[in-house]
Amino acid sequence: MGTRGLNNNNPLNIIKNGDKFAGEVVPSADKRFKQFKDMPHGYRAGFVILGTYLTKHKRNTIDKIIHAWAPPVENDTTGYAGMVERWSGVPKDRVLTLHSGEDYIRIVAAMSRVENGLPAVMTDVEAGFALQSKMKAK
């Protein structure tokens, strides 16, 4: 048995809401979190959400992303952002764009590590990135 996020193929622990994603298992057997048919689709959903954060909400740094993803009312947001910065190697105040794909791949892998306590399998993260079309690698 792995963590809840890994068991659900939802490594970023995306909470159920009205949004539907490619590869999402509906209905989900988990009462709180989404489930995906495989890990790349779980990562893809995370990239799609972060693309929306960037384009609609101007959340273009690790700090801004994590304050929305893991709000201080529920999490140690500062600690979470610091771990993502350390494990991704991306400065938490670096301004990201739709062409920051390499940075987003490392950020999402680091977020998965925070959420699950284990390093992400990079081939799954990269496969999830390849399934989305909004962000581009340089």
Side-chain angles (χ1 to χ4, degrees):
M1 277 298 280
T3 66
R4 189 175 189 178
L6 298 179
N7 289 338
N8 286 336
N9 290 320
N10 181 358
L12 299 187
N13 287 317
I14 300 167
I15 294 173
K16 286 182 175 181
N17 59 25
D19 298 335
K20 296 292 181 236
F21 295 95
E24 184 175 345
V25 175
V26 179
S28 169
D30 190 299
K31 294 191 184 308
R32 181 163 184 224
F33 295 100
K34 291 181 176 283
Q35 292 181 304
F36 295 92
K37 69 179 187 175
D38 56 33
M39 199 61 73
H41 280 89
Y43 280 116
R44 179 200 175 274
F47 286 116
V48 169
I49 293 169
L50 294 184
T52 300
Y53 275 15
L54 176 63
T55 57
K56 289 190 177 178
H57 307 291
K58 307 302 181 220
R59 294 182 183 127
N60 60 356
T61 66
I62 288 174
D63 262 346
K64 291 176 183 176
I65 290 167
I66 299 305
H67 272 80
W69 195 273
V73 297
E74 298 176 359
N75 301 278
D76 173 8
T77 303
T78 301
Y80 192 135
M83 287 186 280
V84 171
E85 177 182 44
R86 182 170 64 249
W87 290 332
S88 70
V90 177
K92 63 183 175 178
D93 58 353
R94 177 179 290 165
V95 176
L96 304 165
T97 71
L98 290 175
H99 296 281
S100 300
E102 291 91 354
D103 287 342
Y104 274 109
I105 289 168
R106 293 194 317 267
I107 289 166
V108 166
M111 290 172 68
S112 175
R113 185 173 177 181
V114 172
E115 294 285 339
N116 298 289
L118 300 166
V121 175
M122 290 307 295
T123 53
D124 287 339
V125 180
E126 291 162 352
F129 184 82
L131 288 171
Q132 61 81 44
S133 60
K134 189 175 278 191
M135 290 185 266
K136 307 290 182 213
K138 290 183 182 176

